[in-house]
């Protein structure tokens, strides 16, 4: 049984919960209250070595790599069952740790468990192909596990992102070392303990915690790691690339975004306005796929801005543990300061404040990292607020004239993760979807991903795809086997005379 009430969280290596070898810890703090929640083990490089060695032994020695796919399926479903059984406690744990509204956290853990189930089923369906080959030859392919995978995860969707990587990695037969973000480590540790309860062999799932700049970098560069799967900022993504490039180890990267929502004059505003509000303010804007640039066609611009501001002002901001709360705290007071600086910068560059832009008036929220959902209207795409990822509850609203300009502005970004289109013109919806340079395009609805649908970015939003079966490809190597099946001996130099 998982213990959700403790105040110390260990490393999980080789199915054992243990303190860091140095005995060092770091504090987990509730960003909504400033309350100290727990002490988390702070791994030393020698602990990373131990975790990689355990994963290596499970992969090379066969603890996990030699399980048959049916057993992998059963164990992954068992872990998913344990997550469902502990859903409320896990949601509470994460809501306290990252300050996010508990209704959101719960939905994300459900999504993560569903994705795990998707890959549990996929473990028995990994397929190869036969290909055309010259007469007398047979060619077939199969997909093999890569080996030890380092899964490095950010704080904004902690458990969901961990499960999103864990499912395809394990389904394909890899073993893993998970490095959660320091601000959201607890749920990964509990999940690994539930995996021990489920019966995963020792060394299959290991968790190390500690500063990314120290042990995250050390893990990514570790010669015992065959693949790094990273989700986080584009800046740290570059460090990850540096860590793997020398020996060409495998890597996939899910990075930042500055995703647009395009609202055309023919859109159904009863759907587009709440959809646009949700897709920036869900998770207090701390989403890689947040539609943080809202491009609105000129004839409906004023109406859209006033409806957007009115609906945003009605969002319930407050205690993350209250099930009615829609927007919780930001991840830290320091992060809120960075978001507030962006708002000030946008106003200085000529944007107008449509709503928000301040901390909540409620004195009960004064010690937490809260910020009211904010919309900056009359932005232009050259402004810093429209170009950089703010990663907070700030929408930039920009007017546009016609489809051509909308596409040009939407694509004028270093990122290309997601885009939403709002229009009742079916032909336009598909035409614009084809022209937008992003990994995901959603039409007349705000949701980005369901188990089985691909997720990942163009341009500086990353490499690779998650959530769908493409993720299995990213966690496997493709092997081509060429067989000679001719009647006479193979003698390419003609040496047999
Ligand atoms: P980062 O600061 O990039 O941290 C992500 C992870 O990397 C954390 O576990 C962090 O550990 C670790 N890390 C930090 N420096 C490292 C280094 N030099 N080498 C190896 N690992 C290192 O991101 P964040 O602030 O947690 O999350 C926000 C960012 O993630 C945003 O840019 C957001 O867009 C992106 N994100 C992208 C996606 C997708 S799917 N595209 C999804 C969610 C988030 P510590 O916590 O210990 O520093």
């Amino acid at each position: 049984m998982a213990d959700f009430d403790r105040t110390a969280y260990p490393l999980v290596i080789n199915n054992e919960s243990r303190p860091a070898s140095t005995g060092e810890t770091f504090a987990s703090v509730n960003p909504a209250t400033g309350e100290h929640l727990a002490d988390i083990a702070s791994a030393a490089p020698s602990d990373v070595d131990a975790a990689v060695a355990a994963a290596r032994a499970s992969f090379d020695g066969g603890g996990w790599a030699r399980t048959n796919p049916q057993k992998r399926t059963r164990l992954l479903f068992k872990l998913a069952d344990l997550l469902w059984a502990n859903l409320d406690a896990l949601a509470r744990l994460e809501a306290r740790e990252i300050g996010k509204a508990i209704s959101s956290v719960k939905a994300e853990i459900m999504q993560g468990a569903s994705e795990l189930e998707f890959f549990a089923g996929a473990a028995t369906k990994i397929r190869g192909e036969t290909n055309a080959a010259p007469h007398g030859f047979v060619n077939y392919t199969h997909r093999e596990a890569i080996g030890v995978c380092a899964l490095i995860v950010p704080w904004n969707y902690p458990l969901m992102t961990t499960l999103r990587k864990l499912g395809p990695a394990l389904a394909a037969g890899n073993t893993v070392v998970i490095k959660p973000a320091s601000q959201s480590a607890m749920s990964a540790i509990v999940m690994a303990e539930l995996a021990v309860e489920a019966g995963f062999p020792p060394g299959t799932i290991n968790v190390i915690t500690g500063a990314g700049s120290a042990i995250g970098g050390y893990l990514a560069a570790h010669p015992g790691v065959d693949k790094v799967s990273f989700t986080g900022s584009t800046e740290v993504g570059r460090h990850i690339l540096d860590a793997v490039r020398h020996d060409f180890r495998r890597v996939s990267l899910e990075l930042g975004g500055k995703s647009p929502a395009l609202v055309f004059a023919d859109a159904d505003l009863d759907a587009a306005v709440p959809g646009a509000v949700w897709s920036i303010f869900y998770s207090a804007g701390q989403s890689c796929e947040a539609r943080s640039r809202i491009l609105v066609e000129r004839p409906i611009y004023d109406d859209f801005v006033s409806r957007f501001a009115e609906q945003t002002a009605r969002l319930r901001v407050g205690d993350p543990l209250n099930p009615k709360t829609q927007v919780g705290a930001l991840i830290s007071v320091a992060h809120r300061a960075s978001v507030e600086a962006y708002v000030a910068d946008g106003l200085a560059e000529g944007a107008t404040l449509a709503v928000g832009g301040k901390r909540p008036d409620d004195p009960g929220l004064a010690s937490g990292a809260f910020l009211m959902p904010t919309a900056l209207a009359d932005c232009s795409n050259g402004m810093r607020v429209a170009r950089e990822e703010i990663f907070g509850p700030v929408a930039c609203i920009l007017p546009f004239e016609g489809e051509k300009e909308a596409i040009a502005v939407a694509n004028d970004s270093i990122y290309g993760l997601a885009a939403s289109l709002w229009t009742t013109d079916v032909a336009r919806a598909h035409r614009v979807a084809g022209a937008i340079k992003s990994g995901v395009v959603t039409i007349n609805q705000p949701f980005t991903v369901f188990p089985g649908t691909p997720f990942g970015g163009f341009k500086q939003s990353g490499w690779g795809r998650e959530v769908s079966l493409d993720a299995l490809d990213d966690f496997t190597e493709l092997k081509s086997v060429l067989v000679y099946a001719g009647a006479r001996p193979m003698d390419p130099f003609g040496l047999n005379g």
Side-chain angles (χ1 to χ4, degrees):
M1 278 297 286
D3 175 4
F4 291 91
D5 293 321
R6 64 194 135 154
T7 53
Y9 282 78
L11 311 174
V12 182
I13 298 175
N14 215 22
N15 278 8
E16 288 166 15
S17 298
R18 50 165 106 157
S21 53
T22 57
E24 285 183 20
T25 60
F26 61 93
S28 170
V29 174
N30 182 337
T33 59
E35 159 205 17
H36 174 268
L37 291 174
D39 294 312
I40 317 283
S42 182
S46 60
D47 297 313
V48 180
D49 292 341
V52 173
R56 214 37 302 147
S58 177
F59 186 78
D60 297 336
W64 182 249
R66 288 203 201 131
T67 51
N68 65 40
Q70 288 76 9
K71 183 167 181 193
R72 282 184 227 149
T73 294
R74 280 197 299 276
L75 282 172
L76 286 165
F77 272 124
K78 216 163 160 189
L79 176 57
D81 287 347
L82 287 170
L83 294 169
W84 285 108
N86 288 283
L87 179 61
D88 288 333
L90 281 164
R92 197 180 144 75
L93 187 80
E94 262 197 2
R96 292 174 78 217
E97 195 176 23
I98 60 172
K100 195 187 288 193
I102 194 160
S103 57
S104 304
V105 167
K106 200 167 170 178
E108 289 157 23
I109 297 173
M110 290 163 68
Q111 165 84 13
S114 303
E115 289 183 24
L116 199 63
E117 290 169 338
F118 175 82
F119 286 107
T124 53
K125 295 160 196 78
I126 297 172
R127 297 169 60 164
E129 293 176 336
T130 56
N131 296 301
H135 182 71
F137 289 86
V138 175
N139 176 237
Y140 64 90
T141 62
H142 58 86
R143 292 204 164 266
E144 292 180 3
I146 298 173
V148 174
C149 299
L151 313 182
I152 304 181
V153 175
W155 47 260
N156 60 330
Y157 297 114
L159 190 52
M160 184 182 82
T161 307
T162 303
L163 297 170
R164 181 164 286 178
K165 296 178 183 304
L166 191 71
L170 295 185
N174 303 283
T175 58
V176 304
V177 178
I178 300 166
K179 156 53 189 116
S182 297
Q183 285 158 311
S184 62
M186 299 193 308
S187 56
I189 297 164
V190 172
M191 183 279 296
E193 292 171 343
L194 291 173
V196 175
E197 193 180 323
F200 280 85
T204 309
I205 302 174
N206 307 276
V207 179
I208 53 150
T209 46
S213 52
I215 60 143
Y218 185 78
L219 174 66
H222 203 292
V225 168
D226 301 299
K227 168 172 174 129
V228 182
S229 174
F230 171 81
T231 297
S233 59
T234 297
E235 186 191 342
V236 175
R238 286 200 182 88
H239 291 298
I240 301 290
L241 270 185
D242 284 343
V244 300
R245 77 192 163 100
H246 178 71
D247 38 13
F248 299 99
R249 282 170 308 120
R250 300 297 178 255
V251 66
S252 46
L253 303 165
E254 294 291 342
L255 307 174
K258 192 74 192 176
S259 298
L262 282 62
V263 187
F264 289 92
D266 60 13
D268 174 1
L269 289 190
D270 286 344
V273 175
V277 168
W278 185 88
S279 47
I280 172 61
F281 297 125
Y282 179 86
S283 186
Q286 302 168 125
S287 289
C288 51
E289 80 282 12
R291 310 305 194 271
S292 50
R293 289 186 296 149
I294 305 174
L295 281 47
V296 185
E297 198 161 13
R298 189 58 92 177
I300 56 160
Y301 180 78
D302 291 339
D303 186 24
F304 180 92
V305 171
S306 80
R307 288 171 71 165
F308 186 91
E310 186 275 324
Q311 293 192 16
T312 298
R314 284 197 277 122
L315 292 174
R316 292 187 295 274
V317 179
D319 176 7
L321 296 180
N322 181 338
K324 293 203 166 129
T325 293
Q326 292 169 312
V327 180
L330 302 192
I331 188 64
S332 66
V333 168
H335 183 53
R336 178 180 61 185
S338 144
V339 176
E340 287 174 330
Y342 271 110
V343 174
D345 199 73
L347 295 174
E349 281 200 85
T352 54
L353 186 65
V355 65
K358 61 181 184 114
R359 299 176 189 181
D361 297 327
D362 180 353
L365 303 178
S367 49
F370 291 91
L371 185 66
M372 296 305 286
T374 299
L376 298 176
D378 308 325
C379 292
S380 71
N381 208 45
M383 290 178 180
R384 203 163 74 91
V385 283
R387 303 202 75 74
E388 297 180 12
E389 186 180 43
I390 299 174
F391 221 59
V394 181
C396 297
I397 310 181
L398 298 77
F400 72 83
E401 309 269 2
E403 189 178 305
K404 202 169 158 205
E405 188 187 3
I407 293 167
V409 173
N411 286 339
D412 179 17
S413 170
I414 60 168
Y415 298 112
L417 190 53
S420 293
L421 311 181
W422 298 93
T423 175
T424 49
D425 178 338
V426 176
R428 189 209 307 266
H430 292 286
R431 192 165 60 235
V432 177
I436 295 286
K437 298 197 186 316
S438 69
V440 180
V441 179
T442 72
I443 300 174
N444 292 335
Q445 63 84 23
F447 302 118
T448 306
V449 75
F450 296 107
T453 66
F455 181 56
F458 286 19
K459 300 192 271 184
Q460 293 187 34
S461 289
W463 284 351
R465 292 295 178 270
E466 294 192 320
V467 190
S468 63
L469 289 178
D470 308 271
L472 269 185
D473 292 352
D474 284 356
F475 277 102
T476 52
E477 294 279 16
L478 181 68
K479 181 173 283 176
S480 167
V481 180
L482 257 177
V483 186
Y484 175 61
R488 279 190 268 161
M490 172 63 62
D491 179 13
F493 271 133
L495 301 178
N496 288 333

